[in-house]
């Protein structure tokens, strides 16, 4: 599913999945620019703690779609 078709609950869930992948020592993730890594680890959130799709860059949206299918 495309990130632009998701609501804030789905986006938050997917970004948390990507964070778990990044934290997994068995994951074979490399060559990720520091800015992308930082945005995944500390995404901008609303006052309730949710990540909205319009807070994310196109690179992050693509990464979410690629890693969470």
């Amino acid at each position: 599913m495309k990130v632009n078709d998701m609501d804030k609950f789905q986006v938050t869930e997917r970004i948390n999945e990507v964070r778990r992948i990044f934290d997994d020592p068995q994951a074979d993730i490399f060559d990720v620019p520091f800015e992308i890594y930082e945005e995944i680890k500390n995404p901008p959130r609303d006052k309730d703690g949710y990540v909205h799709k319009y807070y994310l860059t196109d690179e992050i949206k693509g990464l979410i779609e690629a890693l969470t299918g």
Side-chain angles (χ1 to χ4, degrees):
M1 174 183 271
K2 295 240 179 240
V3 172
N4 286 333
D5 296 334
M6 296 179 191
D7 60 25
K8 67 181 180 180
F9 306 107
Q10 293 169 312
V11 173
T12 302
E13 180 181 316
R14 295 287 174 92
I15 205 146
N16 287 337
E17 284 180 43
V18 173
R19 286 177 69 194
R20 284 191 293 274
I21 292 169
F22 275 32
D23 289 340
D24 183 0
Q26 300 297 320
D28 202 15
I29 305 246
F30 57 93
D31 290 337
V32 176
F34 182 74
E35 297 81 17
I36 301 288
Y37 180 79
E38 280 299 307
E39 190 173 350
I40 290 292
K41 296 301 277 181
N42 299 304
R45 296 178 182 267
D46 66 10
K47 64 181 176 117
D48 297 320
Y50 293 103
V51 179
H52 294 266
K53 60 189 162 202
Y54 48 82
Y55 291 168
L56 303 175
T57 62
D58 289 336
E59 291 84 8
I60 296 299
K61 290 177 184 179
L63 185 62
I64 291 170
E65 292 168 6
L67 293 178
T68 63

